[in-house]
């Protein structure tokens, strides 16, 4: 969407050729390789690693990574398009693509030195390696500054002890970026970011979570028991990890907003199709005001969410501070996803409550979007702080 010149905001959300190409490619891939397996993977909580290898071959696991490191070299518009199109079919796969791209790969892309980038990004961008990112702990969710996982320097290695939980790809990942405490509790300069490769002695995964939704996206604990990590695996300087993580989460919030938008669009499209096909009292239920008003609300909120996301993506592309915009996009889009999925189930009636129709899964998947990468309540704290600054 472009705004008239006389009320120009500086934003131009016109859909470019790259976006169209990416949208069609992802849509075709999802219909062929994801949709036939959605419920099978969901029921079994199966994380389809080979699917992500295929996505890597298409350049979709390194969307934002420059070509010199083996990535696609696209910007945030193409990235948002990728996540949306996948999430319209399966939120779980969309979540894993988002976590790999924006958290693990994005952290290295933005804060690693050149040697580190050349060492890890080509493997991540092609999905030769699957990436994980660890901040949350059992007792410190939103309160990250009081994390208990520690890293003590011993010669040219850090000795890491502790655990992380709610980690996407915690079991299947080949590499994890882990926030560790190298200073005092509560000190924002007391946290550092370490890259830890699979197979490092003392680095294991714990239990796999049995989740309400997003069940094909693997979620486990990470456990560190006297895990020795080379000092060369430190990203940036010691003590910069928290600041880095907050910047990574700004971009990650655009990811979760896009994931929310895709889920909302998937539920909406299914509901509209059903409302046109389902007949009661001699006519399609879409003709009834009670249904058409729900659809009107859904459509309006989806478009508003999309505009917020594109605004944040545009600012990210231009290197502008978009903390407020990313938080607004994530907060609003995630709540829209929940409302849209809820209304979609209502439109389907009893059928919407069964696993034979897609809206049941959208309903379960949507809720995570209001929790992951900063709850809706945390987003409101961020937005309020930015507005009142």
């Amino acid at each position: 969407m472009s705004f008239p010149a006389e009320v120009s905001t500086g934003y131009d959300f016109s859909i470019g050729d790259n976006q169209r190409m990416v949208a069609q490619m992802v849509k075709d891939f999802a219909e062929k390789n994801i949709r036939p397996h959605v419920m099978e993977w969901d029921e079994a909580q199966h994380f389809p690693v080979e699917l992500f290898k295929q996505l890597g071959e298409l350049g979709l696991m390194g969307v934002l990574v420059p070509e010199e490191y083996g990535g696609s070299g696209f910007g945030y518009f193409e990235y948002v398009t990728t996540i949306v199109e996948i999430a319209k079919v399966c939120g779980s796969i969309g979540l894993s693509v988002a976590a790999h791209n924006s958290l693990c790969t994005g952290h290295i892309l933005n804060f690693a030195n050149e040697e580190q980038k050349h060492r890890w990004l080509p493997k991540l961008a092609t999905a030769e390696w699957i990436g994980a990112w660890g901040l949350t702990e059992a007792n410190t969710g939103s309160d990250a500054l009081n994390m208990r996982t520690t890293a003590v320097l011993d010669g040219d290695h850090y000795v890491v002890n502790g655990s992380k939980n709610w980690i996407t790809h915690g079991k299947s990942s080949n590499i994890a970026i882990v926030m560790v405490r190298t200073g005092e509790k509560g000190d924002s300069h007391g946290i550092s970011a370490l890259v830890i490769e699979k197979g490092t002695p003392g680095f294991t995964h714990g239990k796999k979570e049995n989740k309400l939704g997003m069940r094909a996206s693997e979620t486990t604990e990470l456990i560190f028991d006297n895990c020795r990590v080379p000092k060369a695996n430190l990203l940036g300087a010691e003590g910069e990890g928290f600041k880095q993580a907050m910047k990574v989460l700004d971009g990650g919030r655009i990811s979760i907003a896009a994931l929310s938008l895709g889920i909302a669009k998937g539920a909406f499209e299914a509901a509209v199709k059903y409302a046109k096909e389902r007949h009661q009292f001699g006519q399609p239920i879409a003709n009834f005001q009670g249904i058409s008003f729900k659809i009107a609300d859904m459509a309006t909120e989806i478009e508003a969410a999309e505009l917020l996301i594109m605004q944040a993506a545009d600012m990210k592309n231009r290197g502008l501070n978009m903390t407020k915009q990313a938080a607004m996009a994530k907060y609003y889009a995630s709540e829209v996803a929940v409302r849209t999925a809820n209304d979609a189930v209502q439109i389907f009636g009893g059928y919407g409550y069964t696993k034979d129709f897609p809206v049941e899964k959208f309903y379960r998947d949507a809720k995570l979007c209001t929790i992951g990468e900063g709850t809706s309540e945390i987003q409101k704290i961020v937005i309020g702080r930015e507005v009142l600054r």
Side-chain angles (χ1 to χ4, degrees):
M1 172 179 286
S2 298
F3 291 87
E6 61 271 19
V7 291
S8 175
T9 62
Y11 303 114
D12 182 359
F13 305 147
S14 302
I15 297 175
D17 290 340
N18 283 341
Q19 274 178 274
R20 290 190 183 91
M21 177 196 72
V22 168
Q24 192 61 53
M25 176 177 69
V26 177
K27 185 175 182 180
D28 292 344
F29 179 88
E31 289 297 328
K32 179 182 177 181
N33 299 288
I34 300 175
R35 194 178 294 279
H37 308 288
V38 166
M39 291 311 297
E40 168 197 343
W41 292 339
D42 182 78
E43 292 283 327
Q45 295 199 79
H46 172 65
F47 179 61
V49 174
E50 289 308 311
L51 178 81
F52 294 95
K53 305 292 186 183
Q54 291 176 274
L55 287 165
E57 291 173 6
L58 294 176
L60 299 175
M61 297 295 274
V63 180
L64 301 166
V65 177
E67 292 180 25
E68 66 179 295
Y69 304 116
S72 297
F74 287 136
Y76 262 76
F77 288 153
E78 291 82 7
Y79 178 48
V80 165
T81 299
T82 297
I83 302 301
V84 168
E85 290 298 326
I86 293 174
K88 281 167 67 175
V89 176
C90 180
S92 294
I93 305 304
L95 173 63
S96 283
V97 171
H100 177 93
N101 272 280
S102 72
L103 297 180
C104 181
T105 306
H107 199 140
I108 292 172
L109 180 62
N110 285 291
F111 297 105
N113 60 40
E114 282 302 310
E115 186 276 328
Q116 292 171 330
K117 288 180 182 178
H118 282 285
R119 193 191 337 167
W120 292 312
L121 286 178
K123 289 184 173 69
L124 287 165
T126 58
E128 177 185 344
W129 282 10
I130 302 295
W133 192 82
L135 175 65
T136 302
E137 297 180 5
N139 295 302
T140 56
S142 300
D143 184 18
L145 286 178
N146 281 304
M147 67 175 59
R148 297 179 180 178
T149 299
T150 59
V152 178
L153 192 60
D154 178 26
D156 58 359
H157 283 72
Y158 283 98
V159 180
V160 182
N161 283 285
S163 63
K164 299 289 178 178
N165 68 347
W166 305 113
I167 307 305
T168 305
H169 317 144
K171 177 183 176 182
S172 297
S173 60
N174 306 92
I175 185 172
I177 298 173
V178 183
M179 271 26 80
V180 294
R181 187 160 56 79
T182 50
E184 296 299 316
K185 277 189 178 182
D187 181 5
S188 63
H189 300 290
I191 294 172
S192 303
L194 290 175
V195 179
I196 308 179
E197 297 182 15
K198 190 174 187 177
T200 302
F203 175 31
T204 57
H205 67 85
K207 71 167 185 172
K208 182 176 178 178
E209 302 294 345
N210 185 7
K211 306 193 299 289
L212 168 73
M214 303 290 195
R215 290 167 61 83
S217 179
E218 178 184 276
T219 307
T220 73
E221 292 178 307
L222 297 179
I223 299 170
F224 309 95
D225 182 9
N226 290 320
C227 177
R228 294 182 65 84
V229 181
K231 188 178 178 181
N233 286 21
L234 177 70
L235 294 178
E238 186 174 291
E240 291 182 348
F242 184 76
K243 180 175 69 175
Q244 293 175 6
M246 293 305 101
K247 290 183 178 178
V248 168
L249 285 173
D250 276 349
R253 284 165 184 159
I254 297 176
S255 297
I256 302 302
L259 177 67
S260 304
L261 179 63
I263 290 171
K265 284 188 172 188
F268 173 74
E269 290 173 7
V272 168
K273 182 174 183 291
Y274 183 81
K276 290 178 177 179
E277 294 173 351
R278 171 72 167 173
H279 281 66
Q280 292 285 274
F281 306 102
Q283 58 185 309
I285 63 171
N287 290 354
F288 300 124
Q289 192 176 79
I291 300 298
S292 68
F293 276 18
K294 283 187 186 298
I295 289 171
D297 285 339
M298 293 157 81
T300 301
E301 290 192 339
I302 285 170
E303 293 228 0
E306 189 159 21
L307 284 169
L308 279 171
I309 293 166
M310 289 306 178
Q311 179 191 35
D314 178 69
M315 294 178 73
K316 181 71 173 174
N317 278 341
R318 292 194 282 160
L320 302 176
N321 183 304
M322 31 58 81
T323 298
K324 180 183 76 173
Q325 286 75 15
M328 284 180 167
K330 196 272 185 188
Y331 165 55
Y332 186 74
S334 64
E335 296 291 342
V336 166
V338 171
R339 287 195 293 270
T340 300
N342 181 65
D343 282 345
V345 170
Q346 196 71 19
I347 288 170
F348 271 77
Y351 292 113
Y353 203 66
T354 72
K355 292 182 182 291
D356 296 326
F357 291 85
V359 291
E360 175 270 347
K361 183 175 181 295
F362 287 125
Y363 182 77
R364 288 186 289 109
D365 286 349
K367 187 57 195 168
L368 180 71
C369 298
T370 69
I371 299 170
E373 294 195 36
T375 63
S376 290
E377 290 74 20
I378 288 294
Q379 303 312 316
K380 287 195 274 189
I381 289 172
V382 172
I383 294 163
R385 184 173 64 225
E386 293 294 315
V387 170
L388 297 170
R389 188 184 296 279

